[in-house]
């Protein structure tokens, strides 16, 4: 579980995140939405410990992160940045194995190889395993990066735009896998998305950020009922459906 309390942060005197509070629970996919520049990536970087907050508290499994060692964070958190640098000399298999780098010694144990094999199978990317990172497409690479995150079986999963650049089939497939693994392994998952429909379909709760503030938190069924607010924050005109299948269609920008 993650608890964020009155979190504030600013990049000098430019952008700031203001007084953000929320909880994320094990077995739940919490989705962070918001226009470009609203602070989504900054928020994930603060939770993952890459950026240091100015004020407020972050608790993980009840522990104040100000007082836990780096090892605890490394062991429990997998964080997928928006743009992950991967050396192109690695094969897909080698890169996924590096997801276990906290544990790897000089000799790689059989159980680690098995963990890599298992996640490759689960994500259906056996055909990519022997290819070099620079020999696969952007979308395939994103799936491989998700395998890299999942291989160590994290307790907390922080994914920054994991499905941007994927085709429509892979978007659904990857979100389904993220959701299934979150439930099966009782992971606390926070996902930054741009696709409102993927958020409606695959998240348990949604947080909407706008200009560094949390302007909404609630279930997808509630989110779709604040269309006017969504239009205001994204500066866009939307059509939507709330019968049976929730969906939102962008019509025009304001
Ligand atoms: P989002 O992920 O929602 O698109 P970000 O969290 O990346 O937004 O950025 C929020 C704001 O902070 C933006 O206005 C961005 O320009 C600014 N910003 C991001 N990183 C830095 C940085 N390292 N230094 C100064 N400003 C930054
Ligand atoms: Mg971002």
């Amino acid at each position: 579980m993650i608890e964020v309390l009155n979190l504030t942060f600013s990049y000098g005197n430019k952008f700031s995140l203001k007084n953000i509070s929320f909880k994320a629970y094990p077995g739940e996919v919490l989705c962070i939405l918001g226009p470009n520049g609203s602070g989504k990536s900054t928020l994930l970087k603060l939770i993952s410990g890459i950026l240091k907050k100015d004020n407020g508290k972050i608790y993980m499994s009840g522990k104040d992160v100000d007082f836990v060692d780096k090892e605890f964070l490394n062991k429990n958190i997998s964080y997928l940045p928006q743009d992950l640098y991967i050396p192109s000399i690695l094969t897909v298999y080698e890169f996924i194995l590096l997801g276990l780098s906290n544990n790897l010694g000089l000799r790689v144990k059989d159980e680690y190889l098995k963990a890599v094999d298992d996640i490759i199978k689960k994500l259906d990317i056996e055909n990519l395993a022997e290819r070099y990172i620079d020999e696969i497409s952007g979308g395939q690479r994103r799936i491989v990066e998700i395998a890299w995150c999942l291989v160590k079986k994290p307790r907390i999963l922080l994914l920054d735009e994991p499905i941007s650049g994927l085709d429509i089939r892979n978007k659904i497939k990857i979100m389904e896998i993220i959701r299934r693994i979150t439930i099966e392994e009782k992971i606390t998952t926070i996902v930054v998305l741009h696709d409102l429909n993927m958020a409606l379909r695959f998240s348990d709760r949604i947080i909407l950020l706008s200009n560094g503030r949390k302007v909404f938190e609630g279930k997808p069924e509630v989110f779709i009922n604040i269309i006017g607010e969504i239009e205001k924050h994204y500066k866009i005109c939307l059509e939507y459906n709330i019968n049976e299948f929730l969906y939102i269609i962008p019509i025009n920008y304001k």
Side-chain angles (χ1 to χ4, degrees):
M1 178 175 155
I2 299 176
E3 183 172 6
V4 172
L5 227 109
N6 296 324
L7 184 69
T8 62
F9 171 82
S10 72
Y11 294 108
N13 56 5
K14 293 179 204 145
F15 174 83
S16 57
L17 269 183
K18 301 162 196 92
N19 244 1
I20 307 278
S21 299
F22 64 89
K23 289 179 186 172
Y25 300 97
E28 179 194 76
V29 176
L30 174 67
C31 180
I32 312 280
L33 296 174
N36 289 134
S38 57
K40 305 179 297 299
S41 296
T42 304
L43 179 59
L44 279 204
K45 284 178 191 164
L46 287 163
I47 297 171
S48 68
I50 287 181
L51 289 175
K52 294 280 162 256
K53 60 190 165 54
D54 294 338
N55 271 303
K57 287 282 179 194
I58 301 174
Y59 298 96
M60 285 193 189
S61 314
K63 291 186 169 69
D64 184 337
V65 296
D66 289 344
F67 301 102
V68 300
D69 51 43
K70 242 190 147 90
E71 219 166 285
F72 174 87
L73 298 178
N74 282 339
K75 185 165 172 282
N76 289 290
I77 303 179
S78 275
Y79 162 61
L80 177 64
Q82 215 171 321
D83 301 299
L84 180 67
Y85 168 73
I86 313 174
S88 55
I89 52 158
L90 294 176
T91 65
V92 164
Y93 192 95
E94 288 163 345
F95 169 62
I96 297 172
L97 183 64
L98 282 181
L100 291 162
S101 56
N102 298 326
N103 312 0
L104 294 178
L106 285 176
R107 206 178 146 271
V108 179
K109 290 186 196 161
D110 286 348
E111 63 183 276
Y112 298 148
L113 299 178
K114 183 172 180 314
V116 176
D117 288 339
D118 286 350
I119 198 68
I120 282 177
K121 212 174 197 171
K122 213 168 208 166
L123 270 64
D124 201 13
I125 49 173
E126 288 101 327
N127 58 331
L128 302 179
E130 299 309 319
R131 310 254 291 267
Y132 284 94
I133 286 292
D134 61 356
E135 291 173 357
I136 62 176
S137 78
Q140 290 169 330
R141 186 181 148 127
R142 212 61 185 143
I143 300 174
V144 168
E145 290 172 359
I146 289 164
W148 169 79
C149 278
L150 290 173
V151 70
K152 73 175 181 192
K153 295 196 184 302
R155 302 311 314 142
I156 289 169
L157 187 58
L158 307 172
L159 303 170
D160 200 345
E161 298 194 24
I163 55 169
S164 293
L166 299 192
D167 67 39
I168 44 181
R169 177 174 186 273
N170 276 322
K171 274 188 183 180
I172 294 179
K173 196 170 124 191
I174 292 301
M175 283 311 294
E176 227 167 65
I177 290 169
I178 290 169
R179 192 171 163 78
R180 196 180 69 226
I181 294 180
T182 296
I183 294 168
E184 281 173 8
E185 315 270 338
K186 294 203 167 46
I187 301 173
T188 302
T189 299
I190 304 181
V191 189
V192 171
L193 292 181
H194 275 305
D195 190 322
L196 303 182
N197 291 309
M198 290 293 128
L200 285 171
R201 181 155 168 201
F202 292 105
S203 62
D204 296 289
R205 276 186 309 127
I206 292 171
I207 282 178
L208 179 64
L209 292 185
S210 184
N211 197 18
R213 292 180 191 279
K214 185 180 88 173
V215 293
F216 171 84
E217 178 177 355
K219 290 180 185 303
E221 310 86 88
V222 185
F223 181 71
I224 202 159
N225 278 300
I226 59 147
I227 282 290
E229 285 288 298
I230 305 171
E231 288 183 323
K232 186 180 91 190
H233 293 293
Y234 279 97
K235 296 192 178 70
I236 190 149
C237 300
L238 301 166
E239 290 282 335
Y240 65 104
N241 178 54
I242 49 171
N243 301 319
E244 266 181 76
F245 207 72
L246 307 181
Y247 62 81
I248 293 175
I249 307 171
I251 302 296
N252 212 340
Y253 67 90
K254 286 182 181 170

